[in-house]
Amino acid sequence: MPVHATLDYVEFPARDLDATKRFFAAAFDWTFDDYGPDYIAFANQGLDGGFYRADLQARSEAGSALLVFYSTRLEDTLAKVEAAGGTILKPVFEFPGGRRFHFAEPSGNEFAVWSDPVA
């Protein structure tokens, strides 16, 4: 149920909706609802959202917001991202709150994955 004055939905462009759908299904076990040939939606992933057909990309170097996944097993998630066809943009690095890496999914949108610091 949506909550007043909170983030509820996010949308991304995607050149190839089928490749994007396959990637997120393989790497993160997402499922999608198709809304015609130009839109797919996902739910129950911490934030609901969708991808619309467009020749654009959400990249942090261009000023786009960066959405960040959490993983308890960062290296396993990195392997799944690569196996699903993701491109690693920044390999695992440490930051004050833990460790993370950045990747692009097949349509070129940038995401990151973070994990707690190594004890």
Side-chain angles (χ1 to χ4, degrees):
M1 177 107 239
V3 177
H4 175 72
T6 63
L7 290 173
D8 183 63
Y9 203 85
V10 63
E11 293 184 323
F12 297 95
R15 289 185 313 265
D16 186 335
L17 291 174
D18 290 332
T20 292
K21 187 174 7 176
R22 284 191 305 273
F23 170 80
F24 281 101
F28 295 101
D29 300 319
W30 286 13
T31 59
F32 290 87
D33 290 318
D34 295 333
Y35 291 97
D38 296 321
Y39 197 88
I40 57 175
F42 58 88
N44 302 314
Q45 300 306 322
L47 181 64
D48 293 351
F51 292 88
Y52 58 92
R53 188 176 312 280
D55 288 329
L56 302 169
Q57 298 174 342
R59 290 289 185 102
S60 61
E61 75 256 6
S64 177
L66 177 66
L67 272 73
V68 184
F69 292 82
Y70 175 74
S71 174
T72 57
R73 296 178 313 280
L74 193 65
E75 285 74 14
D76 291 348
T77 303
L78 174 68
K80 284 183 78 174
V81 164
E82 289 180 311
T87 302
I88 303 305
L89 301 175
K90 293 181 184 178
V92 174
F93 63 94
E94 293 186 17
F95 69 100
R99 301 178 310 129
R100 76 184 201 192
F101 68 91
H102 292 215
F103 69 91
E105 51 87 23
S107 286
N109 295 302
E110 180 183 2
F111 295 87
V113 181
W114 81 279
S115 188
D116 297 306
V118 175

